[in-house]
Amino acid sequence: MLDKLLEADAIGLRLEWVGGLPLWEAHPTYRHQKAVDRIRQSIRPKEGGCPCVHVADVYVRFPDGSYKRPDIAIFGREPEELDEAITLLPEAVVEVVNRGYEAKDLEIAPRFYLSQGVKDVVVFDPYTLLVLHLRPDGAFRHVSPVELDLACGCTLTV
């Protein structure tokens, strides 16, 4: 499966396999990537929190067998996989909305991540500055810039 996903990447498509369905989008824009970089630079551990290991745009294989590429995945430790899809469940994920793919980022992704056991899902729309912070116990709306505390003990600014 991962081979097919990487072949799609080679021709300019970001392909994910979620719950048995293929989802695709074009490669992200400069605005999107700037937002990802800015958010990653702000990720830091709170005292006594996890080490906040974060990666951008890598395949994660989830417990149900789905493959997704979160814009940012935050882990409680270093993943073991260096040359294949990561199988360690992220503590948190951040998705930055890509224009034209709002439904994927705002509707499909958050439900999927929460169903797989991710504790914090953050969705940022760089066009409207909307920040959604979703947890198993509820959803919270903010306007960027906002500092968020994650269940794993990390803090980030969106």
Side-chain angles (χ1 to χ4, degrees):
M1 172 61 66
L2 186 57
D3 292 344
K4 295 292 182 199
L5 298 175
L6 294 175
E7 285 177 28
D9 193 62
I11 61 168
L13 296 176
R14 287 180 49 153
L15 184 61
E16 299 175 329
W17 191 261
V18 180
L21 297 173
L23 298 174
W24 69 275
E25 67 182 305
H27 281 281
T29 62
Y30 182 54
R31 177 192 306 264
H32 180 279
Q33 291 306 88
K34 280 184 64 163
V36 168
D37 291 345
R38 180 181 56 77
I39 295 166
R40 285 189 71 202
Q41 289 176 4
S42 79
I43 298 171
R44 61 203 179 280
K46 292 172 56 178
E47 190 172 329
C50 81
C52 305
V53 175
H54 54 89
V55 296
D57 196 33
V58 297
Y59 277 112
V60 176
R61 184 164 187 218
F62 285 87
D64 75 342
S66 294
Y67 287 84
K68 278 205 51 61
R69 287 170 64 166
D71 289 322
I72 303 169
I74 301 171
F75 298 95
R77 63 176 171 84
E78 285 282 338
E80 295 175 10
E81 299 86 0
L82 296 177
D83 297 314
E84 55 201 51
I86 295 170
T87 58
L88 179 64
L89 183 68
E91 295 289 325
V93 296
V94 179
E95 290 288 1
V96 176
V97 174
N98 216 1
R99 186 167 273 162
Y101 301 92
E102 293 87 354
K104 177 184 164 291
D105 291 328
L106 291 166
E107 297 173 26
I108 296 169
R111 280 183 257 189
F112 170 76
Y113 290 130
L114 291 172
S115 77
Q116 296 301 299
V118 175
K119 297 174 192 157
D120 287 278
V121 178
V122 177
V123 182
F124 171 55
D125 186 334
Y127 301 98
T128 65
L129 302 181
L130 169 69
V131 178
L132 294 176
H133 183 190
L134 302 106
R135 289 184 163 166
D137 63 346
F140 310 92
R141 291 174 76 93
H142 305 279
V143 175
S144 179
V146 62
E147 187 172 280
L148 301 175
D149 292 326
L150 305 178
C152 64
C154 299
T155 299
L156 55 84
T157 303
V158 180

